[in-house]
Amino acid sequence: MEATVGGVPVQYAEYGRGTPVLALHGAGVDHREIAGALEPIFCNVPGFRRLYPDLPGMGRTPAPETITSNDDVLDILLGLIDSTIGDEPLLVMGQSYGGYLARAIADRRPEQVVGLALICPVGAHTGNVPEHEVLVSAADPTGELGPELEASYRNYFVVQTSETLSRFQELVAPAASLVDESGLMRIFSNWELQDRPDAATTYPHPVLILAGRQDATAGHTGPWELTEHYPRATFAVLDRAGHALFHEQPALTQALVVEWLARVREHSTT
């Protein structure tokens, strides 16, 4: 599907009916990764309308020269909400880079965003991360992916099995050729949001924050520090999981997301 926002044709996938859920993917991929991780969960939890946009410069959404910063990307996302959801309550989920943007949306619209879920979120600055460490090495992608994608897989996953290799081939690898590298470089050169999403101390709704114990990109101490801004936050740091947490620990991810959705529903009816 497509919605034109500020002259930018934003491509998105949509599934289901009910309370809207805007789910934002990470950098260097497209909507297929987060949709592939979340749809098996939502298929068992009815009552939610899921929207998965391709962020500017990734997937099928272009990054014209008018988009020069993450503030511009945030404006595009707020416009997408206005054009596809309107003023009704919604949930926002974000993985990695998408988590940074999701926090900003909740910060801008704390009354409309009635639930927030962050999966391995990065922030304005990221430090104190562990070295990349492969815990399980039971799959050899040599010859299956090509040199660049093979390196990407090896550097992304700490659990390298036939299952995670299959998920990478299906949900991550196809997006690599669609990335507008120059567009992302332009956007990320102005990475820090002017209105930083750090004023969320008054955010009153249920939050879920998931971190990988072996996440060499976002770490787990930075995500933990976010909990002080969210009084209704559940925080979980999962062993045997890196930045690809929801591929490496799908059962735990499902259990925690389902519990968060139940908290959101309970909170919204009280």
Side-chain angles (χ1 to χ4, degrees):
M1 304 183 74
E2 179 179 306
T4 300
V5 182
V8 178
V10 179
Q11 305 294 322
Y12 66 97
E14 179 177 335
Y15 307 100
R17 297 180 180 179
T19 301
V21 180
L22 181 69
L24 308 177
H25 62 79
V29 293
D30 63 19
H31 78 276
R32 284 173 286 188
E33 182 177 21
I34 193 166
L38 295 180
E39 278 306 292
I41 300 174
F42 281 108
C43 284
N44 296 316
V45 186
F48 293 97
R49 173 193 173 204
R50 293 89 66 193
L51 294 90
Y52 300 98
D54 286 342
L55 297 173
M58 292 170 277
R60 301 295 180 183
T61 298
E65 293 187 359
T66 54
I67 301 179
T68 62
S69 67
N70 274 328
D71 286 291
D72 292 334
V73 174
L74 177 58
D75 288 341
I76 292 291
L77 292 173
L78 293 172
L80 178 66
I81 291 171
D82 292 339
S83 63
T84 60
I85 297 172
D87 59 1
E88 67 178 297
L90 78 151
L91 286 65
V92 181
M93 307 181 72
Q95 189 264 345
S96 188
Y97 169 52
Y100 185 45
L101 299 170
R103 288 183 60 216
I105 293 171
D107 187 50
R108 288 281 190 93
R109 300 186 177 182
E111 299 305 318
Q112 185 180 13
V113 178
V114 296
L116 176 66
L118 308 171
I119 302 164
C120 300
V122 298
H125 306 283
T126 300
N128 193 24
V129 300
E131 294 291 330
H132 181 66
E133 176 188 9
V134 177
L135 299 183
V136 180
S137 182
D140 184 1
T142 304
E144 294 192 41
L145 299 173
E148 291 188 7
L149 286 173
E150 178 184 334
S152 178
Y153 171 75
R154 292 187 186 277
N155 292 328
Y156 187 26
F157 286 82
V158 303
V159 177
Q160 299 178 5
T161 63
S162 58
E163 290 80 9
T164 63
L165 178 57
S166 176
R167 289 175 74 86
F168 180 84
Q169 291 173 307
E170 178 186 359
L171 304 174
V172 179
S177 63
L178 301 177
V179 175
D180 178 356
E181 298 287 356
S182 62
L184 288 190
M185 185 178 299
R186 184 177 62 250
I187 294 168
F188 292 172
S189 67
N190 293 296
W191 172 268
E192 192 166 346
L193 292 160
Q194 292 182 4
D195 294 327
R196 291 177 58 185
D198 58 3
T201 52
T202 59
Y203 186 77
H205 307 294
V207 174
L208 174 65
I209 304 172
L210 301 182
R213 185 65 177 84
Q214 289 82 30
D215 187 342
T217 299
H220 61 276
T221 58
W224 165 250
E225 291 170 358
L226 299 180
T227 57
E228 66 180 276
H229 303 301
Y230 304 110
R232 290 293 313 277
T234 288
F235 175 84
V237 56
L238 308 184
D239 182 37
R240 197 181 176 274
H243 204 54
L245 177 148
F246 53 25
H247 300 303
E248 296 168 327
Q249 289 283 14
L252 281 174
T253 299
Q254 176 171 342
L256 290 162
V257 169
V258 168
E259 188 277 338
W260 167 70
L261 292 171
R263 284 192 290 129
V264 170
R265 280 178 163 164
E266 179 184 62
H267 182 72
S268 298
T269 57
T270 56

